[in-house]
Amino acid sequence: MKNLRRKTLAAASAATLGVGLALTGGLAPAAAAGPDTSYLVLAPQGANTSKAAARVAAAKGTVVATYDQIGVLVVRSTNPDFATQVAGAGVESVASTAGLGTALDEGETVEVSAADVASATGDPTTEPLYGQQWDMNMIHVPQAHAVTTGSSNVVVGVLDSGISSTHPDLATQIAKDKSTSCIGGVTDTTEAAWNPTTSDHGTHVAGTIAAAVNGVGVTGIAPGVKVAAVKVVNDGGYIFPEAAVCGFLWAADHGMQLTNNSYYIDPWELNCKNDPRQRPVWQAVQRAIRYSQSKGVLNVASAGNSNYDLAHKITDTGSPNNGTPEERENLTNACLDLPAEAPGVVTVGAVGPTGEKSYYSSYGQGVIDVTAPGGDSRIRTRGASPTSADQILSTTFNTTTRTNGWGYKQGTSMSGPHATGVAALALSAHPGMTPGELASFLEGTSVAQSCPAGVFNLVPLHPNGAHFYDATCSGGARNGFYGAGIVDAYNVVK
């Protein structure tokens, strides 16, 4: 787990998106310099924020965003004693969101050359690169498209690093009127604000969900639905809690039925809600998720790339992800991977082209709900050499040349949008389902995968020790590697 903590959910040996947030109140920066610092200030559950706002003003803070729906304020202050002085009647808790975090660690996207695009031939519907989308055949997307390609009434919020609005496979797919940047916890609906600046991660995710069937490039799982860019990753590669809170509430209040979340909230990969330093972040994020669910949103999240058994959390030697690690032992289930382990969120693991658990995918009996293609560049059973073609091909945006294209990535960041796309097809074919009903339907239509015999041993695959990626699966038809099974697009629409 420790060696992969710095990489979020777009993964392991291929391109990775590291996203982070800062520590909570107990580890706020020292009082010496009085820097301009961000805070989350929480009013008591169910209370309005007026008393909290008054205390913020008295403590020399400035409210930059108010989320009365969940009793949360986003605040900035240069007062080094702000966290202490703001405490009192009307304030339940406060968390600093400045300091530590995991910077962008994306690596190289394996791009498809213009010549390869020009010479490619694919199917269905003449998408030239479809022949390289093994993932679509695995979950029976062609058969599903014979029934429906999705409804434009379904809008998926892609909480990520932005979506390229000029990409030929995505330009017609984006609900621009529902797109925004949430950087800093404040919305900015200008098109430039929600386009990518330093990362193509969100563009890749969006293509898997909804790339157009237009004879150009690739196809998405649900090309008939719309995606909305909800930018929560800043230019430094961090996702601070105020951005996540803003994203969940924006999706809820702008008619989205689904969100895709391919990240975890740093710097604590396991956020312990019984730790006073971390609890305010848990509270704010959980309030936002619950609110979105109450407004009809099903949130889908990637499980992570640490090959970690989330059902048996024992030690954590890598948090915080930046700074001096703490030895945390005898962890309990109060320590959660957010947002993946928040109640009501669909948690997605990853498989490769063989249908086996991807070597990097985190797992856990009772934690993983479903599994989907995420890629596995280190194929074992086929006897083939590692290749980018065993990863996930989707839309990309080169942030250096500012050009659109197509390329490969792998990780649970890629499996998450497969599950989200299938859920979008399900909602298109069977409108009116509540988030809970949709989650149950997604699980019930998945194709069960049995645990492999013995230890899932990946000895030859990594230099970090012969047994670095060993993992043990537990459970029967529903188990720790695959949850209810691999999602199936045809099963949800037939």
Side-chain angles (χ1 to χ4, degrees):
M1 182 178 183
K2 178 170 78 171
N3 290 342
L4 285 180
R5 308 179 63 91
R6 295 182 61 82
K7 303 182 189 300
T8 60
L9 310 180
S13 70
T16 62
L17 174 67
V19 293
L21 61 80
L23 293 179
T24 55
L27 291 181
D36 188 15
T37 302
S38 293
Y39 297 87
L40 289 177
V41 176
L42 281 67
Q45 183 73 52
N48 66 41
T49 58
S50 58
K51 289 184 178 180
R55 293 204 64 86
V56 166
K60 300 180 181 178
T62 301
V63 175
V64 297
T66 301
Y67 294 105
D68 280 326
Q69 308 97 311
I70 59 171
V72 173
L73 300 174
V74 180
V75 175
R76 297 195 69 85
S77 179
T78 57
N79 177 6
D81 297 319
F82 175 82
T84 301
Q85 293 177 8
V86 78
V91 173
E92 179 177 304
S93 59
V94 58
S96 166
T97 64
L100 301 183
T102 301
L104 188 70
D105 183 16
E106 194 165 0
E108 294 293 329
T109 300
V110 182
E111 295 184 351
V112 177
S113 70
D116 287 341
V117 174
S119 62
T121 57
D123 204 16
T125 66
T126 70
E127 296 301 289
L129 294 174
Y130 183 81
Q132 299 174 47
Q133 291 186 275
W134 58 266
D135 48 318
M136 299 298 172
N137 288 330
M138 173 179 279
I139 61 173
H140 301 120
V141 168
Q143 294 88 335
H145 284 184
V147 179
T148 180
T149 58
S151 167
S152 60
N153 293 325
V154 175
V155 182
V156 179
V158 178
L159 274 62
D160 215 295
S161 61
I163 302 173
S164 172
S165 61
T166 60
H167 198 290
D169 255 343
L170 294 172
T172 61
Q173 308 303 94
I174 301 171
K176 293 184 178 181
D177 60 327
K178 297 180 185 296
S179 296
T180 192
S181 167
C182 272
I183 304 303
V186 181
T187 60
D188 183 347
T189 60
T190 60
E191 190 165 334
W194 51 259
N195 263 258
T197 47
T198 59
S199 166
D200 70 345
H201 188 271
T203 299
H204 197 279
V205 165
T208 295
I209 297 169
V213 176
N214 57 2
V216 178
V218 297
T219 183
I221 294 167
V225 309
K226 297 295 184 182
V227 291
V230 184
K231 189 174 182 178
V232 296
V233 182
N234 70 16
D235 287 352
Y238 297 88
I239 176 168
F240 293 96
E242 58 266 33
V245 167
C246 168
F248 286 121
L249 266 64
W250 177 269
D253 289 338
H254 288 82
M256 299 177 206
Q257 298 94 330
L258 290 157
T259 70
N260 187 87
N261 304 270
S262 291
Y263 58 86
Y264 66 80
I265 294 178
D266 275 323
W268 311 96
E269 183 172 1
L270 300 178
N271 187 294
C272 299
K273 59 184 177 182
N274 58 352
D275 185 327
R277 300 168 298 173
Q278 300 163 65
R279 181 170 174 78
V281 170
W282 158 259
Q283 290 174 312
V285 172
Q286 180 62 7
R287 287 186 190 183
I289 290 173
R290 285 177 178 166
Y291 177 79
S292 71
Q293 292 165 345
S294 75
K295 301 287 280 188
V297 182
L298 177 63
N299 300 295
V300 179
S302 303
N305 300 329
S306 298
N307 188 42
Y308 187 67
D309 187 351
L310 293 167
H312 296 92
K313 306 179 185 80
I314 301 173
T315 62
D316 180 0
T317 60
S319 284
N321 289 319
N322 189 8
T324 303
E326 299 179 4
E327 296 286 340
R328 299 199 294 175
E329 298 182 348
N330 301 315
L331 299 182
T332 70
N333 285 335
C335 299
L336 303 174
D337 179 355
L338 290 179
E341 290 191 89
V345 173
V346 174
T347 307
V348 187
V351 297
T354 64
E356 292 181 292
K357 171 189 169 304
S358 299
Y359 70 91
Y360 51 79
S361 182
S362 290
Y363 58 100
Q365 175 71 355
V367 178
I368 300 299
D369 294 309
V370 293
T371 311
D376 193 329
S377 62
R378 296 172 181 180
I379 291 298
R380 304 162 303 286
T381 59
R382 295 190 306 176
S385 299
T387 170
S388 60
D390 293 321
Q391 300 176 27
I392 303 300
L393 179 63
S394 187
T395 47
T396 61
F397 181 74
N398 189 311
T399 58
T400 300
T401 62
R402 315 302 296 173
T403 54
N404 298 296
W406 295 267
Y408 294 93
K409 292 180 183 288
Q410 71 174 3
T412 56
S413 273
M414 283 59 255
S415 63
H418 280 81
T420 302
V422 171
L425 284 181
L427 201 57
S428 299
H430 312 288
M433 284 191 285
T434 67
E437 290 169 342
L438 180 56
S440 295
F441 186 65
L442 187 66
E443 294 176 18
T445 54
S446 294
V447 179
Q449 291 279 99
S450 299
C451 282
V455 175
F456 189 61
N457 194 322
L458 303 173
V459 172
L461 299 182
H462 203 280
N464 294 336
H467 296 278
F468 189 77
Y469 283 109
D470 285 2
T472 301
C473 183
S474 61
R478 187 183 182 109
N479 56 65
F481 275 12
Y482 308 108
I486 299 175
V487 297
D488 192 287
Y490 183 52
N491 283 351
V492 302
V493 302
K494 68 180 181 181

